[in-house]
Amino acid sequence: MFLSDKWKDYELLDTSRGEKLERWGNIVLRRPDPQIVWDVEEAKADPAWRKADAHYIRSNTGGGHWESRKGMPESWTVSYRELTFGIKMMGFKHTGLFPEQATNWDWFSDIIKKSGRKDVNVLNLFAYTGGATMAAAAAGASVCHVDASKGMVSWAKENAHLSGLENRPIRYIVDDVKKFTEREIRRGRKYDAVIMDPPSYGRGPSGEVWKIEDELFDLVKLCMGVLSDEPLFFLINSYTTGLSGGVLENIYKMTLQKKFGGTVAVDEVGLPVTKHNLVLPCGYSGRWSR
């Protein structure tokens, strides 16, 4: 398992009965998680669960809402190594950051630093609030950050400022990732690495429909057209239930590995749980590197 166990500002305190108790800096959140199917008998008797600063409560009709203590801040920051991120309580239980991805940030940052190249160009697709963008930029890369949501791209710019990376060579693009990649191919632009974190289902800025099981393989093939002659790495993250690690491995074998050789590693991404010696699985990551 690719384990994100180097955090200091984030901690997965406990898990039980479909919920997780997390510390984000000095703020404790209680959120649902469908992977937590186990019941730790003593967990909910622990007063820490009742003392959470905010609790996301699911609705029986779909969605849900946050209940928070009086004086709860609208936003705050957490840091990972030299990076700093803005955190907010969003709809659908999100906070604007996926802490389990830190293991991937460390992996590709090490590749960038050890490449010996002066200018490593990274294309980050479905880039969200920019966790991977900031990690790659801090490692010395030039990054093209692409997301269909204008709000998420603005948030990424805020994270760059918080991390002291506002002057790094980062291009921010609000666009459908497929259409943008097609244009980059026509322009002849090349990248040394691709990162993609596709949703299971989504819509582009003009209503384009994305379904990962229908689109992922074709998108990876399309991205082959923007890779340089000697690419460094390719990262795919998948949170989609039913899309196994073996699927990602097969995609790499038929694309990246077939053309460039290299090494493929696919595994679950996980967060250690402080109590009860557990690990929470958080989807799969597929890594290709030279």
Side-chain angles (χ1 to χ4, degrees):
M1 180 176 279
F2 302 140
L3 197 62
S4 290
D5 57 357
K6 302 295 190 298
W7 278 96
K8 291 182 171 58
D9 262 9
Y10 172 85
E11 182 181 8
L12 183 51
L13 300 167
D14 206 353
T15 58
S16 185
R17 299 181 191 174
E19 289 190 307
K20 55 189 175 184
L21 191 68
E22 309 163 287
R23 178 181 61 81
W24 296 79
N26 60 358
I27 301 292
V28 175
L29 302 182
R30 180 174 170 178
R31 298 191 292 161
D33 192 304
Q35 293 285 349
I36 303 170
V37 299
W38 51 87
D39 179 2
V40 181
E41 290 186 10
E42 62 269 33
K44 293 298 175 69
D46 187 338
W49 285 85
R50 297 189 297 276
K51 293 179 180 178
D53 295 296
H55 183 192
Y56 186 86
I57 301 173
R58 283 197 181 278
S59 168
N60 292 330
T61 58
H65 67 281
W66 286 96
E67 290 187 357
S68 58
R69 63 169 172 79
K70 187 177 180 180
M72 177 75 179
E74 290 187 7
S75 65
W76 66 100
T77 62
V78 299
S79 295
Y80 182 77
R81 300 191 188 277
E82 70 269 45
L83 306 174
T84 300
F85 305 102
I87 303 299
K88 304 172 189 175
M89 293 185 298
M90 303 164 60
F92 300 103
K93 76 179 181 179
H94 293 304
T95 63
L97 190 68
F98 294 102
E100 65 272 12
Q101 286 301 314
T103 181
N104 285 323
W105 304 340
D106 290 343
W107 170 71
F108 64 68
S109 294
D110 190 55
I111 292 175
I112 293 168
K113 291 174 182 177
K114 291 181 178 179
S115 69
R117 302 184 188 182
K118 281 189 175 181
D119 192 10
V120 174
N121 293 307
V122 176
L123 177 61
N124 187 11
L125 302 176
F126 308 99
Y128 197 49
T129 61
T133 294
M134 302 312 135
S142 300
V143 186
C144 182
H145 175 108
V146 186
D147 197 279
S149 168
K150 184 177 180 180
M152 293 300 104
V153 172
S154 295
W155 195 336
K157 292 178 181 179
E158 293 172 10
N159 283 333
H161 179 74
L162 289 170
S163 296
L165 298 169
E166 63 268 31
N167 295 321
R168 289 293 304 163
I170 304 173
R171 283 198 300 154
Y172 298 96
I173 307 294
V174 179
D175 204 350
D176 173 75
V177 298
K178 183 178 178 182
K179 290 181 177 179
F180 175 77
T181 304
E182 289 170 341
R183 287 199 300 274
E184 291 291 85
I185 291 173
R186 291 194 295 268
R187 287 187 282 249
R189 196 183 298 269
K190 297 293 182 180
Y191 295 89
D192 302 300
V194 173
I195 299 166
M196 62 171 69
D197 203 340
S200 298
Y201 178 87
R203 290 187 179 274
S206 300
E208 303 89 346
V209 176
W210 164 273
K211 292 178 67 176
I212 192 170
E213 61 270 27
D214 296 335
E215 305 283 353
L216 182 58
F217 180 64
D218 287 340
L219 180 60
V220 174
K221 287 200 301 181
L222 182 66
C223 286
M224 298 284 286
V226 296
L227 287 175
S228 61
D229 293 336
E230 295 184 350
L232 292 174
F233 66 87
F234 202 113
L235 173 66
I236 304 172
N237 294 310
S238 172
Y239 294 91
T240 304
T241 303
L243 194 64
S244 72
V247 171
L248 299 181
E249 188 171 357
N250 288 339
I251 289 174
Y252 278 135
K253 285 181 178 179
M254 290 184 284
T255 55
L256 276 293
Q257 203 168 39
K258 183 177 181 180
K259 182 173 181 179
F260 299 109
T263 301
V264 173
V266 179
D267 210 336
E268 284 188 293
V269 177
L271 285 167
V273 184
T274 300
K275 291 191 175 182
H276 314 298
N277 194 32
L278 302 176
V279 174
L280 177 64
C282 305
Y284 279 89
S285 285
R287 300 170 173 178
W288 174 88
S289 63
R290 294 189 68 84

